[in-house]
Amino acid sequence: MAREVKIKGKPNDDRDREPSPAARDEAQSPPDPIEEKLRPQRLSEIIGQRAVAERLSIALAAAKKRGEPLPHILFDGPPGLGKTTFAGVLHNELGVELNLTSGASLDKKMDVMPYLTNASEGSILFIDEIHRLPRAVEEFIYPVMEDFRVDVVLGEGMSARTINLPLKKFTIIGATTRSGMLSSPLRERFHMHEHLEFYDPEDLARIITINAGKLRAPITPEAAWELAERSRGTPRIANARLRWVRDYALARADGGIDVPIARDALAMQEIDSEGMDKQDRRYLDTLIRVFKGGPTGAEALAATMTLSVDTIRDEVEPYLLRREFVVRTPRGRVATSAAYRHLGLAEPEREPVEDILDPQRRLFL
Ligand code: ADP
């Protein structure tokens, strides 16, 4: 990737903007070189998300033919599904500059200003966690997104005057795990909205096989499948588990990964047959034992588990909702029969879950 800028995060003062612990770690740590090696660089290397990739290839082709920047694009979906990867791929395909920042780091208008004034023609500005932009900064970038200009107020009181500063034409790519928290004026200024879905095991098995090759770790197709089924539908988790299994195979055997090696390595990390880790099981256990299966709110669960609500909402719940271990109802989260079965617990007599279902249960808050 070309020039990449990461700003360290400072918490903002308004809305629910405290970065999740994972986001904070990511913002403050240098990029992991192995993770970067595994990241697809071109559109042809992207696995899965076919509809998204196809729409982006159309946008790319049109932008190239017109000689104009890409339209502003908003990616949403749980962490680790490829939002940053897609931004990097678009930058590589166009051969333009890419600057990276995060909504949590842009406290004031002046924090975002250098990104705007330094943006070169056709370049890409990637704003991760864009739902964390403070309102004033958000409003400041509306004219940027519409007309490629910023309005700067000079002076104060009676003598204040606004000057319009023209900018180069460039693209803003926003990424969010909480599209519901985005204001509609901001959302509407993105010309393309792409929602990334969890990956099915076939796609994850392909990703694992390709990445095992990049890591020079021989893996059987059955072992790739075993890992794929136990990676919570998420490429980032698949990569992390592959790296662990590779180390385990080297330390305990000759480096080759087969099903018994993969199973032993995952068991050592307490990852179960559904790919759930200790935190997932603790969530279900808390919901079932402390809150009698629900309904209960994310805040109460977070407080009981001494985790941040963001971690619960962004990292733990989306996959459990998708697999229907949990459903969201107007009154809160409810554990399903599958959750009781998975933990080997007896399900009490209760109102059928279907009767209190929220039709929007699959949407992320
Ligand atoms: P996000 O920005 O949504 O949190 P990333 O783009 O950082 O997620 O993806 C995490 C990792 O998962 C990447 O480094 C890459 O190795 C892998 N990955 C993501 N999407 C894909 C994909 N479609 N095909 C192959 N690998 C992918």
Side-chain angles (χ1 to χ4, degrees), residues 283-284 287 320-321 324-328 333-336 339:
Y283 173 97
L284 292 180
L287 179 56
L320 299 179
L321 285 164
E324 299 188 350
F325 283 107
V326 180
V327 287
R328 278 224 308 260
R333 279 78 173 148
V334 177
T336 62

Side-chain angles (χ1 to χ4, degrees), residues 35 38-40 47 80-85 199 207 235-236 239:
E35 193 59 41
L38 302 183
R39 206 189 274 286
I47 311 289
L81 296 192
K83 299 180 289 298
T84 314
T85 301
Y199 292 62
I207 292 175
R236 181 181 293 142
N239 286 346

Side-chain angles (χ1 to χ4, degrees), residues 55-326:
R55 282 190 293 270
L56 291 175
S57 74
I58 301 279
L60 270 172
K64 279 185 191 162
K65 282 197 176 159
R66 273 201 299 264
E68 284 183 4
L70 277 177
H72 303 307
I73 307 171
L74 179 67
F75 289 108
D76 85 87
L81 296 192
K83 299 180 289 298
T84 314
T85 301
F86 270 111
V89 159
L90 292 171
H91 128 86
N92 286 329
E93 293 288 344
L94 285 171
V96 295
E97 192 182 21
L98 171 70
N99 290 301
L100 306 175
T101 185
S102 163
S105 316
L106 304 172
D107 261 355
K108 301 180 293 298
K109 293 176 196 171
M110 282 308 125
D111 293 333
V112 75
M113 198 64 171
Y115 289 101
L116 309 179
T117 52
N118 294 333
S120 54
E121 190 77 26
S123 65
I124 295 174
L125 173 60
F126 178 73
I127 308 182
D128 202 8
E129 294 205 276
I130 195 161
H131 57 275
R132 297 190 190 280
L133 276 184
R135 184 78 76 200
V137 177
E138 188 184 307
E139 286 170 3
F140 186 63
I141 66 169
Y142 292 163
V144 178
M145 297 181 78
E146 276 168 7
D147 303 323
F148 301 104
R149 66 173 167 83
V150 273
D151 301 329
V152 186
V153 182
L154 295 179
E156 277 178 27
M158 294 292 282
S159 60
R161 63 196 171 92
T162 305
I163 57 160
N164 307 136
L165 208 64
L167 302 170
K168 302 266 170 42
K169 287 190 176 176
F170 69 101
T171 301
I172 293 188
I173 298 185
T176 180
T177 48
R178 300 272 188 89
S179 60
M181 269 177 72
L182 240 57
S183 73
S184 10
L186 182 58
R187 195 177 308 121
E188 283 157 14
R189 281 169 173 82
F190 285 99
H191 307 120
M192 291 180 73
H193 295 182
E194 296 297 349
H195 174 68
L196 300 188
E197 267 299 333
F198 285 109
Y199 292 62
D200 53 35
E202 285 79 8
D203 288 335
L204 284 184
R206 283 176 66 202
I207 292 175
I208 288 165
T209 307
I210 291 168
N211 291 347
K214 289 185 187 169
L215 296 172
R216 298 181 196 287
I219 188 167
T220 65
E222 295 77 17
W225 182 259
E226 181 78 21
L227 271 177
E229 285 202 298
R230 293 165 69 176
S231 292
R232 295 173 101 260
T234 307
R236 181 181 293 142
I237 295 180
N239 286 346
R241 291 187 181 167
L242 170 64
R243 286 170 67 179
W244 163 250
V245 175
R246 176 190 71 150
D247 288 352
Y248 183 94
L250 259 184
R252 290 280 165 96
D254 61 359
I257 305 171
D258 57 14
V259 172
I261 291 274
R263 284 194 182 146
D264 287 351
L266 294 179
M268 201 167 177
Q269 283 204 331
E270 299 180 46
I271 292 157
D272 65 27
S273 57
E274 293 286 343
M276 288 198 227
D277 60 20
K278 270 193 293 194
Q279 186 160 281
D280 297 320
R281 286 192 299 275
R282 219 179 119 225
Y283 173 97
L284 292 180
D285 194 63
T286 308
L287 179 56
I288 288 175
R289 286 185 201 271
V290 181
F291 295 99
K292 310 278 177 252
T296 191
E299 289 78 8
L301 278 161
T304 312
M305 292 175 69
T306 54
L307 282 178
S308 79
V309 183
D310 280 354
T311 303
I312 296 271
R313 285 203 170 127
D314 290 350
E315 290 163 36
V316 183
E317 285 186 335
Y319 187 69
L320 299 179
L321 285 164
R322 146 85 188 238
R323 292 296 308 271
E324 299 188 350
F325 283 107
V326 180

